[in-house]
Amino acid sequence: MKRKLINLTLVNCYFLKTGETSLPPAHLIGFSHAYRPVNQLIKQTTLLIDLTKSEEQLLQDFHRTNRKQIRQATNYDFQIEVIDSPNLTDIREFQKFYNKFAKYTNTYKCGAFHIKTMELLMETNNLIITRIVSRNSNEILAYQVYVADQDTAFSLYSASHFRLKSDAIDKRMLSIASRFLLWQSILYFKRRKNLVYDMGGLTENKNISSFKMEFGGEIKEVYSGYEATSTLGKLVLFGRTIKLRKG
C-alpha cells in the first residue's frame, strides 16, 4: 500500500511485497513493515496470522489462557465498537486515552506527528479503530488502531488502562477485555476478507512479545524505516526526529 503525504516530499509505503512495482519519486520514502528487504532498513520480527483459516482453527492456535479468557468475556457486559470511517474527533479521543496509557508504560506519547499520520490514513480510508466499552459504566476499556488495505490488517496501536487499576478484580476484567477486543478485531478483518493480520512487531519488551505470541501466527521478518533520497528528504527526516522527541 502506497500513500502520498506531502506532495512528492514524502511517500509512505506499508506492506511492500516481493514483485511490487517501484515507488513514485520522492525526497523521502517511509517503509512500514515491508515484507521484503529494502536497502539498510531496520529489520525486526512480527507475527502474521493467516485469516484464511477457519474461526475454529484461529482460536485453537491461541494459547489456552487466551481461549479461556475469551470464553469468560461472555460473563461481562462488553460492547465492541468498530469505527471503520473514523474522523478527527475519534482520533483525538484515542490520543487522550493512549497518552494516559503511555504515561504508565514508559513509552512514547501519541504526539502531533502521529496524529498527522492517522489523519492521512483516515483520508485514504486506510485507518480503522476498534474499542471495547463497558455497557454498565460506559467506560472505554481498550483500543486497537489499524492500518489496513485489501490484504493486510496491521496493528498500529494497542492500549488499555490495565496498569491504572489497583483492584485485582478490575485488572482481571481489563485483561479479559483486551484479549476479547483483539479476538473480535481479528474476526472483523476475517469477515472483511483481509488475508493477513499483522500483530505489529515483536519488541524487546518480553511481556509485550509474550502477549502477542499467545495469539498464534507465524514469525516473519519485516523491515521499517526511512530512506532520504535528497537534501530536502534529509531535512524532513531530521524534523520528524525532533517532533518525536518533543511528543
Side-chain angles (χ1 to χ4, degrees):
M1 179 179 72
K2 304 176 184 67
R3 181 164 55 87
K4 185 168 68 174
L5 297 187
I6 309 170
N7 298 323
L8 288 180
T9 300
L10 170 62
V11 170
N12 206 350
C13 177
Y14 290 88
F15 324 134
L16 186 67
K17 301 176 181 67
T18 300
E20 285 194 340
T21 58
S22 59
L23 295 169
H27 297 287
L28 183 66
I29 301 176
F31 296 92
S32 295
H33 272 228
Y35 297 128
R36 65 175 173 86
V38 179
N39 297 328
Q40 301 299 314
L41 298 185
I42 297 172
K43 182 173 70 174
Q44 63 179 138
T45 55
T46 192
L47 281 173
L48 301 182
I49 296 175
D50 180 2
L51 295 182
T52 66
K53 291 183 177 182
S54 68
E55 179 177 334
E56 293 75 16
Q57 185 58 58
L58 287 171
L59 190 58
Q60 188 59 39
D61 289 343
F62 287 7
H63 189 277
R64 62 180 180 277
T65 299
N66 281 351
R67 296 198 299 270
K68 179 181 179 181
Q69 292 200 23
I70 288 167
R71 288 194 298 269
Q72 291 174 339
T74 59
N75 298 325
Y76 295 85
D77 200 13
F78 291 148
Q79 177 175 310
I80 301 293
E81 297 179 353
V82 177
I83 308 172
D84 56 8
S85 297
N87 55 37
L88 186 55
T89 298
D90 297 319
I91 293 173
R92 290 292 185 187
E93 286 180 356
F94 164 73
Q95 180 191 34
K96 183 178 179 180
F97 184 96
Y98 184 88
N99 285 346
K100 193 174 181 180
F101 155 83
K103 180 179 178 181
Y104 287 89
T105 55
N106 193 31
T107 189
Y108 283 114
K109 288 187 176 181
C110 180
F113 180 85
H114 307 95
I115 292 295
K116 186 61 178 178
T117 297
M118 284 188 280
E119 281 187 64
L120 292 163
L121 287 164
M122 173 189 74
E123 291 169 3
T124 56
N125 297 316
N126 294 118
L127 184 71
I128 295 176
I129 298 174
T130 66
R131 62 191 183 190
I132 186 166
V133 179
S134 169
R135 286 194 181 96
N136 292 330
S137 62
N138 204 33
E139 177 187 4
I140 298 174
L141 304 175
Y143 266 100
Q144 294 280 342
V145 177
Y146 297 95
V147 182
D149 63 8
Q150 292 182 340
D151 294 332
T152 305
F154 167 70
S155 178
L156 187 62
Y157 293 106
S158 178
S160 78
H161 289 171
F162 178 84
R163 289 174 178 80
L164 276 67
K165 302 292 186 180
S166 57
D167 183 83
I169 295 177
D170 287 341
K171 282 182 174 291
R172 176 71 174 174
M173 180 268 293
L174 280 179
S175 174
I176 292 171
S178 295
R179 286 169 168 79
F180 188 60
L181 174 61
L182 209 157
W183 169 234
Q184 290 299 314
S185 298
I186 288 172
L187 293 182
Y188 164 76
F189 287 111
K190 178 175 173 58
R191 291 192 299 269
R192 192 173 175 263
K193 305 301 182 183
N194 284 91
L195 303 177
V196 175
Y197 183 100
D198 190 323
M199 289 291 287
L202 298 175
T203 69
E204 294 181 359
N205 186 313
K206 293 182 179 180
N207 291 332
I208 294 176
S209 292
S210 176
F211 174 82
K212 290 182 177 182
M213 292 184 71
E214 290 179 354
F215 288 86
E218 178 185 358
I219 296 177
K220 173 132 180 128
E221 290 182 348
V222 290
Y223 304 83
S224 298
Y226 289 87
E227 179 184 11
T229 61
S230 68
T231 301
L232 177 58
K234 292 177 181 178
L235 289 173
V236 172
L237 187 56
F238 177 76
R240 175 187 181 275
T241 302
I242 297 300
K243 285 183 179 181
L244 283 175
R245 287 175 181 172
K246 290 181 178 180

